[in-house]
Amino acid sequence: MALLNSLFTWIMKKRIHQIELFMKYPHDVQDEWFQSLISTAEATEWGKKYDYNSILTPEEYKNRVPIQEYEDIKIYVDRMIKGEQNLIWPSDIKWFAKSSGTTSDRSKFIPVSMEALEDCHYQGGKDMLSIYCHNKPENKVFTGKSVVIGGSSQINNFSPDSYYGDLSSILIRNLPFWAEFKRTPNLEVTLNPNFEEKIEQIAQITIKENVTSLAGVPTWNIVMAKRVLEITGKSNLLEVWPNLEFYGHGGVSFKPYREQFKQLIPSENMYYLENYNASEGYFGLQDQSNSEDLLLMLDYGIYYEFLPMENIHDEHPKTLNLSEVELEKNYALIISTNAGLWRYKIGDTIKFTSLSPYRFQISGRTKHYINTFGEEVIVDNAEQALHQACQETEAIIKDYTAGPVYFDKNKAGAHEWIIEFEKQPNDFQRFCETLDKHLREINSDYDAKRFKNMALSFPIVHNAKEGTFYQWMKSRGKLGGQNKVPRLSNDRTYLDSLLKMIKN
């Protein structure tokens, strides 16, 4: 096993040189991918519609092709699901990543080409390991197995030759043999659509394995970890898996979960690496062990544009190329990909923390915020304020969501929070006051609305009992996979649904 570990580590390290090249020549790499994507799609129905053959520059491309959202491409997706091909991308597209998004219950089916699987999603997974091996050369991660909690995948009802499921399940179903060899449990268990049954099976099987790494969304890994400890009677995961050393995570912010993982895995040597892998593509990796910033991955078959948030509601918004972005400004991410998504707005916002190389943080969602009163509170604001409140009251948050309380006659509005704690604050009122205080310090618009309670009153905070969010997600059929608790909303849909369940 030691020899195999050394071999895998050597292979992974070879990729570091290529990463360093695109870090050094980012604009050249992006220009090459732009030309490649446009020329590849010239003969598709989409390419003919916008005359890709005559597009020579990104400026021409922006002027000719409007920014797309899912509703704009749905007609093409519906046709592909039924078997039509060469519509938005020349190679056959048979896989579709099912996503409800974070602001709508309506299912979306994102096309996933073989090029996107191989050159984007899998390359991202390999690069995550390459970076880990580079940053921790003494690792032994390949001497054991990895536990990956996937979603479920099934043949859809439209065509026997096209499939849909969570992105995680699509990736697992198409894994190369070497990756499958290092994963546990088997495919049947991993893709079991019954989430509670699956967690039980994973726990029972993996406690007998030499697990060296974990991967997946933090929420569901915690559920699995707690079941493992219940079965074994152990106090932490290192007593079950003494060689556990690495966790690759993504999907949601890790800030609310960090303290829980420290308790589950009490080791200073445990290595956490965040990835930014969405249904639409793999965009970023945490390449530095001393920073949570993500490196923008530029050679995965994706051409990037960045839409300043102040222009997002313009009729014809102007996007920026990579060379035009500025530090610490919020941009909506616009992508063109090797799965045929063209100028597609995925709904996430990012802000750059470095321009050489290009590193960034995920700051929120274009629709995942509270701006009912002009306060423009985004997820990044909420995460920072909650982190401070937890630090000052020794609390650990398990899950949360927040939304607006509308004006009522002469009463000001407010923000209403539902928070489930892993560890209760030592002073709940102080927690609430600290949350409000830090939100005011972070966000000047929120602070202005809170002035003398004129537009916004002190926030209403509910201390939800244990299991509230789990039961709520279960009731909505959204356990496991890439399903995430919606953090902020500009309406009361999620709040009212949760409050109704809590009161019952």
Side-chain angles (χ1 to χ4, degrees), residues 431-456:
F431 176 92
C432 300
E433 290 168 356
T434 307
L435 170 62
D436 180 58
K437 172 175 171 265
H438 282 286
L439 265 180
R440 295 186 71 162
E441 291 173 355
I442 293 163
N443 185 317
S444 58
D445 291 316
Y446 177 82
D447 183 49
K449 304 303 182 296
R450 285 282 293 113
F451 181 68
K452 294 187 176 179
N453 296 324
M454 290 178 67
L456 281 175

Side-chain angles (χ1 to χ4, degrees), residues 89 347 409:
W89 188 251
K409 296 180 181 177

Side-chain angles (χ1 to χ4, degrees), residues 67 100 145 181 200 207 210 246-247 258 272 342 351:
I67 291 174
S100 63
K145 294 201 171 184
F181 173 68
E200 183 66 24
I207 57 175
N210 175 28
F246 175 66
Y247 175 35
R258 189 175 303 281
Y272 298 91
W342 301 106
K351 62 179 179 182

Side-chain angles (χ1 to χ4, degrees), residues 30 32-41 44 52 61 80 85 88-95 110-124 167 277-283 297-304 334-344:
Q30 277 288 278
E32 286 176 12
W33 269 113
F34 170 74
Q35 298 296 342
S36 175
L37 290 169
I38 293 296
S39 61
T40 301
T44 63
Y52 274 20
Y61 176 57
M80 285 187 289
Q85 297 294 347
I88 60 175
W89 188 251
S91 66
D92 285 359
I93 294 178
K94 299 181 178 181
W95 286 94
I110 307 299
V112 181
S113 67
M114 287 310 298
E115 291 90 342
L117 276 176
E118 294 292 337
D119 302 332
C120 185
H121 294 291
Y122 287 144
Q123 188 59 56
L167 175 67
N277 190 17
S279 300
E280 298 86 356
Y282 205 123
F283 309 124
M297 306 307 285
L298 300 175
D299 62 350
Y300 286 180
I302 300 171
Y303 177 72
Y304 293 100
I334 310 294
I335 58 171
S336 298
T337 78
N338 52 6
L341 297 176
W342 301 106
R343 304 202 75 207
Y344 188 82

Side-chain angles (χ1 to χ4, degrees), residues 112-377:
V112 181
S113 67
M114 287 310 298
E115 291 90 342
L117 276 176
E118 294 292 337
D119 302 332
C120 185
H121 294 291
Y122 287 144
Q123 188 59 56
K126 287 185 281 188
D127 283 353
M128 180 173 67
L129 290 172
S130 295
I131 287 169
Y132 175 59
C133 293
H134 177 72
N135 290 351
K136 195 172 180 181
E138 73 282 7
N139 78 85
K140 296 179 181 178
V141 71
F142 297 111
T143 61
K145 294 201 171 184
S146 177
V147 177
V148 182
I149 302 180
S152 60
S153 183
Q154 62 195 86
I155 297 174
N156 68 32
N157 299 321
F158 298 107
S159 164
D161 201 30
S162 59
Y163 311 86
Y164 70 81
D166 294 335
L167 175 67
S168 56
S169 66
I170 292 174
L171 299 181
I172 289 168
R173 274 185 180 267
N174 292 280
L175 277 174
F177 77 93
W178 61 268
E180 182 64 26
F181 173 68
K182 301 302 296 179
R183 192 184 57 74
T184 185
N186 62 34
L187 194 67
E188 183 181 357
V189 171
T190 303
L191 297 178
N192 184 346
N194 185 322
F195 180 75
E196 291 172 309
E197 190 176 279
K198 172 163 60 182
I199 288 294
E200 183 66 24
Q201 291 172 333
I202 289 175
Q204 295 286 355
I205 292 168
T206 59
I207 57 175
K208 303 165 189 170
E209 297 276 8
N210 175 28
V211 173
T212 55
S213 66
L214 306 173
V217 177
T219 319
W220 309 124
N221 270 269
I222 285 174
V223 173
M224 180 272 295
K226 288 185 174 180
R227 183 59 189 140
V228 165
L229 297 183
E230 284 176 7
I231 294 170
T232 60
K234 304 297 185 182
S235 60
N236 65 68
L237 289 181
L238 294 177
E239 294 178 2
V240 183
W241 302 316
N243 298 316
L244 182 63
E245 63 175 73
F246 175 66
Y247 175 35
H249 61 88
V252 297
S253 169
F254 195 56
K255 288 178 185 176
Y257 303 99
R258 189 175 303 281
E259 290 303 318
Q260 292 181 70
F261 274 91
K262 282 183 180 178
Q263 291 184 0
L264 289 168
I265 311 167
S267 169
E268 292 298 319
N269 295 320
M270 185 67 186
Y271 196 106
Y272 298 91
L273 193 155
E274 182 174 358
N275 66 82
Y276 181 12
N277 190 17
S279 300
E280 298 86 356
Y282 205 123
F283 309 124
L285 278 168
Q286 184 181 348
D287 68 314
Q288 303 173 106
S289 55
N290 61 350
S291 170
E292 295 180 6
D293 298 345
L294 303 178
L295 178 68
L296 188 65
M297 306 307 285
L298 300 175
D299 62 350
Y300 286 180
I302 300 171
Y303 177 72
Y304 293 100
E305 299 172 56
F306 306 91
L307 174 55
M309 281 301 288
E310 60 263 30
N311 302 123
I312 197 164
H313 297 300
D314 294 355
E315 188 174 354
H316 300 291
K318 183 184 185 303
T319 61
L320 305 179
N321 299 326
L322 187 60
S323 61
E324 300 173 298
V325 298
E326 299 176 42
L327 293 175
E328 300 297 330
K329 287 196 171 183
N330 281 308
Y331 298 105
L333 203 55
I334 310 294
I335 58 171
S336 298
T337 78
N338 52 6
L341 297 176
W342 301 106
R343 304 202 75 207
Y344 188 82
K345 183 165 69 176
I346 67 170
D348 288 340
T349 63
I350 68 170
K351 62 179 179 182
F352 285 95
T353 56
S354 166
L355 302 182
S356 182
Y358 287 98
R359 293 194 178 97
F360 67 96
Q361 295 176 352
I362 304 168
S363 54
R365 299 277 300 175
T366 56
K367 297 178 181 176
H368 205 188
Y369 56 85
I370 309 176
N371 193 31
T372 309
F373 312 99
E375 67 274 42
E376 297 188 22
V377 172

